[in-house]
Amino acid sequence: MEPSSAAASSSSSSSSSMKVSPLDLMSAIIKAKMDPSNASSESAAEIATILLENKEFVMIITTSLAVLIGCAVVLIWRRSGSKKSKQIDPPKPLIFKEPESEVDDGKKKVTIFFGTQTGTAEGFAKALAEEAKARYDKATFKVVDLDDYAVDDDEYEEKMKKESLAIFFLATYGDGEPTDNAARFYKWFAEGKERGEWLQSLKYGVFGLGNRQYEHFNKVAKVVDDILAEQGAKRLVPVGLGDDDQCIEDDFTAWRESLWPELDQLLRDEDDATTVSTPYTAAVLEYRVVFYDPADAALEDKNWSNANGHTIYDAQHPCRCNVAVRKELHTPASDRSCTHLEFDIAGTGLSYETGDHVGVYCENLEEVVEEALRLLGLSPDTYFSIHTDKEDGTPLGSSLPPPFPPCSLRTALARYADLLSLPKKSALLALAAHASDPTEADRLRHLASPAGKDEYAQWMVASQRSLLEVMAEFPSAKAPLGVFFAAVAPRLLPRYYSISSSPRMAPSRIHVTCALVYEKTPTGRIHKGVCSTWMKNSVPLEKSNDCSRAPIFVRQSNFKLPSDTRVPIIMIGPGTGLAPFRGFLQERLALKEAGAELGPSVLFFGCRNRKMDYIYEDELNNFVNNGALSELVVAFSREGPTKEYVQHKMMEKASDIWNMISEGGYVYVCGDAKGMARDVHRTLHTILQEQGSLDSSKAESMVKNLQMTGRYLRDVW
């Protein structure tokens, strides 16, 4: 725009272009509006001429007005929209905070909590709720994830005070630890013994899920059950001790049957207390399935890493990472195999700490997928999606697992279906419902029935029959895809590994040390571990740009080095139990190189033969030579005339172990929980008893004190 002085020097009669200042232009317009007597055709023509000659200014004015009007419209729309959303959005967390109107509906409230690692506890909780809803129409039932129940300790306490009837399904895993989603609740509850009898209005039942082969069988359920009683709550039935080593479904069924008479007393009125209920039959779970044109299959690979864009990675949002390095750790003389694998996490935002675990999602072997396709009798290119609601949006039921993304049948079987696990009894019933041969249907129902308990234990559990073997045995049982993925094949779960590196030495890599699972079952089938086989066969980036990749995530662990580097440490880890200690020693070496003073350390490692399976031998010797490790003690179980294990070597070093513990040392154990860890625990007890001249009970108290103070830590499986 020209300077305003140019417009001031021109006259209305000038033949040159007419330029005025914005101020003059607005003044002329306003003057005409304010004084209609002056608004002659001449003045109007004058204004029109001015507007035509000042197009740039007019454009600015009109654009500004449009922007102002647009902002006003958006503001009004957002305000009205926010009011609307407040009316329809339920309070969070959705699963627990109910509208006030529901509080006074006259119905008794039952809350069913679950703490689950693999989904079994959640499945039992939902199954109990479904049957209870059918039995007690004058009560309401809520199934609640313990992690979603409260955001902090205060809210846990505030809400628990209001509960009148609660059922807990609590799994124990690892070394007597709570599941990830129950960890916060368990820590709060177990540490709050000073609260007194504050739960006198609560009636409760607890069912535990564990494995009797482990030392701390159902510890979490037992602890919660005891504390609830101590704090005034009334126990309805004895704590249920589900044993996954046998048939945990039978344990749940027996405990559930003992619970019904107690709930009858609480949830039925006098007039219907004696009413004979119709026998309850659980409905077979089934997704709604939508089929698509196979041409859409090209889109499916984008869904495998459902965490793209996430800054926090977890089991629901894994990070797909390349395999950077893979190498065999055993020598050719060994008849077994152990893989060293490195995932490249550079630039992903994924991080870890020494001692953490990595969860890995792997795919079923191609031969396993091909067998499943043959048994299902469907095309591998069948492209479909599964849904937990009907076409009109109404839910199909609360017990359905979350659906996986749309994909081909081949992809679904490879990534999402656990095809080699032992089928649950509910899976047998689902297959029976879709068996065209009545004889096969009857046999499946018998195996799943109380009458067939012994036969199930022998034919299924003891024989270690996989789902595919059962499907082959009953070929007429062809479940539709909606039933197969909802009720027959469980989800393929992540496998967890102790990370065998330290971020101080390998900040952009996660190292895994994995023994191959390859064994013959009683039926003669060769069982190949899903993840260990995938790792052994993976193609690393160092060999091909078309390398193997897997979705992974990190799970935090309490298996950590002392914060004071001068504290003595004792590490016991035969075989792949060495994994976290390799990370520990990398950490110590990095700390030493940074100038830290290290306390004494000893590693008890065990393998069969130094010429076959002495993994990371050179590295371990280097740790000793560089001062990261004070002493390396190795037990070879297949070299001498007698088998020698780590616990035998511990006894030889009993005096040193006692001295290190007496000086505030930490004891770490990693490896097999069923055998090695038990033997090491007994050996530690013996060492404390003999070296400390203690009786058995005082030695046991000392061991427990080490555990309670975090100085005796175990990473076992």
Side-chain angles (χ1 to χ4, degrees):
M1 197 171 206
E2 296 292 331
S4 58
S5 59
S9 64
S10 63
S11 67
S12 60
S13 60
S14 171
S15 61
S16 62
S17 66
M18 190 177 189
K19 296 290 183 182
V20 298
S21 73
L23 195 58
D24 293 336
L25 179 59
M26 293 304 296
S27 176
I29 295 171
I30 292 168
K31 184 179 178 183
K33 290 194 174 192
M34 293 293 290
D35 189 358
S37 64
N38 291 333
S40 63
S41 59
E42 184 178 341
S43 62
E46 181 182 347
I47 292 169
T49 304
I50 294 171
L51 290 172
L52 287 169
E53 294 294 331
N54 291 272
K55 291 178 180 178
E56 293 177 2
F57 176 74
V58 172
M59 288 178 64
I60 292 171
I61 288 293
T62 54
T63 302
S64 300
L65 285 170
V67 170
L68 286 170
I69 292 167
C71 289
V73 170
V74 170
L75 183 62
I76 293 167
W77 175 77
R78 288 190 67 180
R79 282 182 175 175
S80 63
S82 65
K83 287 177 183 176
K84 186 176 181 182
S85 66
K86 283 180 182 175
Q87 292 171 351
I88 63 171
D89 282 354
K92 295 181 179 180
L94 175 63
I95 196 168
F96 195 77
K97 289 188 178 176
E98 298 181 326
E100 288 298 318
S101 59
E102 290 192 20
V103 175
D104 300 317
D105 63 0
K107 291 190 174 185
K108 295 176 182 177
K109 309 292 188 296
V110 184
T111 305
I112 304 175
F113 298 100
F114 66 85
T116 191
Q117 198 72 17
T118 63
T120 306
E122 181 179 4
F124 285 166
K126 289 178 176 178
L128 182 77
E130 290 297 320
E131 182 167 356
K133 287 173 187 176
R135 295 176 68 103
Y136 310 110
D137 57 359
K138 295 177 182 176
T140 58
F141 298 85
K142 295 172 297 186
V143 178
V144 180
D145 183 323
L146 277 166
D147 203 37
D148 295 335
Y149 186 55
V151 296
D152 55 29
D153 291 358
D154 289 341
E155 193 176 4
Y156 270 126
E157 186 165 346
E158 177 189 342
K159 287 188 168 184
M160 196 59 71
K161 281 180 184 175
K162 299 176 183 176
E163 298 290 350
S164 59
L165 184 51
I167 309 297
F168 295 83
F169 288 89
L170 300 169
T172 299
Y173 87 102
D175 193 29
E177 298 162 30
T179 59
D180 291 348
N181 76 308
R184 281 196 308 117
F185 167 81
Y186 185 72
K187 184 176 186 295
W188 162 75
F189 201 56
E191 291 177 354
K193 296 185 178 181
E194 74 288 345
R195 283 187 286 260
E197 295 189 358
W198 64 293
L199 294 172
Q200 291 180 331
S201 62
L202 176 66
K203 297 179 177 65
Y204 75 94
V206 177
F207 183 80
L209 297 88
N211 188 308
R212 204 174 289 277
Q213 293 295 322
Y214 290 78
E215 183 178 350
H216 299 289
F217 175 58
N218 269 313
K219 177 185 174 182
V220 172
K222 292 174 182 176
V223 168
V224 170
D225 181 70
D226 287 343
I227 295 175
L228 283 166
E230 289 169 8
Q231 298 187 355
K234 182 186 176 184
R235 182 188 290 117
L236 295 175
V237 289
V239 58
L241 301 178
D243 182 12
D244 197 41
D245 193 49
Q246 293 300 315
C247 181
I248 200 167
E249 285 178 291
D250 287 345
D251 299 329
F252 166 59
T253 300
W255 180 83
R256 181 184 59 194
E257 292 308 310
S258 72
L259 180 66
W260 295 136
E262 301 301 324
L263 293 184
D264 287 348
Q265 298 296 318
L266 298 170
L267 302 178
R268 283 185 175 165
D269 295 333
E270 291 182 6
D271 57 347
D272 63 0
T274 56
T275 303
V276 178
S277 301
T278 304
Y280 174 81
T281 303
V284 174
L285 297 176
E286 183 172 6
Y287 291 110
R288 176 170 62 90
V289 178
V290 178
F291 293 95
Y292 300 94
D293 188 318
D296 295 330
L299 302 172
E300 72 182 46
D301 206 47
K302 297 176 183 176
N303 295 312
W304 188 212
S305 176
N306 57 347
N308 289 342
H310 279 266
T311 54
I312 298 176
Y313 297 110
D314 55 25
Q316 287 72 45
H317 309 102
C319 177
R320 195 175 187 189
C321 295
N322 290 333
V323 173
V325 175
R326 177 191 58 78
K327 57 186 176 184
E328 175 61 50
L329 293 174
H330 284 192
T331 68
S334 174
D335 60 353
R336 297 173 301 131
S337 173
C338 185
T339 301
H340 170 85
L341 201 80
E342 297 179 18
F343 286 108
D344 185 0
I345 60 172
T348 63
L350 190 63
S351 62
Y352 71 100
E353 293 181 6
T354 307
D356 282 345
H357 303 139
V358 60
V360 182
Y361 286 98
C362 289
E363 297 187 14
N364 283 307
L365 282 170
E366 190 173 337
E367 64 196 56
V368 172
V369 174
E370 289 296 333
E371 175 69 1
L373 286 167
R374 186 185 67 78
L375 292 169
L376 286 170
L378 296 171
S379 166
D381 298 322
T382 303
Y383 195 66
F384 68 103
S385 61
I386 55 175
H387 305 267
T388 58
D389 58 3
K390 299 177 184 176
E391 287 187 18
D392 62 5
T394 56
L396 286 167
S398 62
S399 299
L400 283 169
F404 48 77
C407 60
S408 69
L409 180 56
R410 179 184 295 280
T411 296
L413 292 171
R415 295 178 178 175
Y416 306 117
D418 188 347
L419 302 170
L420 298 179
S421 62
L422 184 147
K424 295 180 179 179
K425 290 188 174 183
S426 57
L428 300 184
L429 291 173
L431 287 171
H434 295 279
S436 57
D437 184 336
T439 305
E440 290 186 6
D442 288 344
R443 170 109 169 108
L444 284 164
R445 281 192 285 266
H446 172 72
L447 285 168
S449 70
K453 180 179 179 179
D454 292 341
E455 198 169 341
Y456 178 88
Q458 186 60 43
W459 190 80
M460 191 76 72
V461 180
S463 300
Q464 300 172 29
R465 275 186 166 80
S466 70
L467 172 59
L468 292 186
E469 286 180 285
V470 172
M471 290 171 65
E473 188 78 16
F474 300 94
S476 81
K478 298 271 196 264
L481 292 186
V483 172
F484 181 79
F485 287 105
V488 177
R491 284 289 186 276
L492 191 57
L493 297 171
R495 271 51 173 176
Y496 290 97
Y497 298 91
S498 302
I499 296 176
S500 58
S501 56
S502 164
R504 289 182 184 270
M505 296 281 277
S508 62
R509 298 281 177 87
I510 286 179
H511 295 192
V512 175
T513 306
C514 175
L516 178 67
V517 176
Y518 186 92
E519 54 200 16
K520 181 179 278 191
T521 68
T523 62
R525 172 177 66 92
I526 299 297
H527 175 71
K528 299 176 183 178
V530 175
C531 213
S532 63
T533 304
W534 180 88
M535 288 187 179
K536 180 176 175 60
N537 296 336
S538 63
V539 179
L541 185 60
E542 62 182 0
K543 291 189 178 178
S544 170
N545 286 329
D546 186 21
C547 63
S548 301
R549 294 189 290 171
I552 69 172
F553 59 96
V554 171
R555 184 175 72 185
Q556 291 183 336
S557 163
N558 64 352
F559 202 72
K560 305 293 181 188
L561 283 166
S563 55
D564 185 348
T565 60
R566 297 167 298 178
V567 172
I569 61 169
I570 302 161
M571 299 169 283
I572 303 140
T576 55
L578 173 60
F581 302 133
R582 180 174 179 264
F584 278 16
L585 294 171
Q586 286 185 2
E587 178 103 349
R588 283 171 62 89
L589 181 58
L591 288 168
K592 186 174 188 297
E593 290 175 347
E597 179 186 348
L598 301 183
S601 59
V602 59
L603 169 64
F604 292 92
F605 173 67
C607 62
R608 292 186 178 182
N609 187 299
R610 76 180 73 235
K611 295 180 180 178
M612 295 182 183
D613 58 349
Y614 191 169
I615 61 176
Y616 301 118
E617 179 180 6
D618 292 341
E619 286 188 25
L620 292 176
N621 289 326
N622 284 334
F623 286 133
V624 174
N625 295 334
N626 293 324
L629 178 63
S630 307
E631 186 175 10
L632 173 63
V633 182
V634 185
F636 298 104
S637 63
R638 300 290 195 276
E639 286 195 359
T642 58
K643 292 183 178 180
E644 192 173 47
Y645 297 111
V646 286
Q647 62 266 28
H648 301 132
K649 291 294 187 181
M650 286 173 65
M651 287 303 299
E652 293 176 10
K653 297 284 183 179
S655 177
D656 293 342
I657 290 173
W658 169 258
N659 290 335
M660 292 175 78
I661 292 174
S662 300
E663 292 167 7
Y666 280 51
V667 181
Y668 299 90
V669 181
C670 182
D672 168 43
K674 299 176 183 178
M676 181 278 300
R678 279 186 173 181
D679 293 336
V680 166
H681 185 84
R682 282 193 287 263
T683 302
L684 181 62
H685 179 279
T686 301
I687 289 172
L688 297 181
Q689 184 176 349
E690 293 180 357
Q691 295 294 315
S693 301
L694 308 172
D695 61 34
S696 181
S697 63
K698 286 185 178 178
E700 186 60 33
S701 295
M702 189 172 180
V703 171
K704 285 186 176 178
N705 183 59
L706 288 172
Q707 290 176 313
M708 294 295 291
T709 55
R711 289 175 52 205
Y712 176 22
L713 297 168
R714 310 201 310 173
D715 181 3
V716 296
W717 55 83

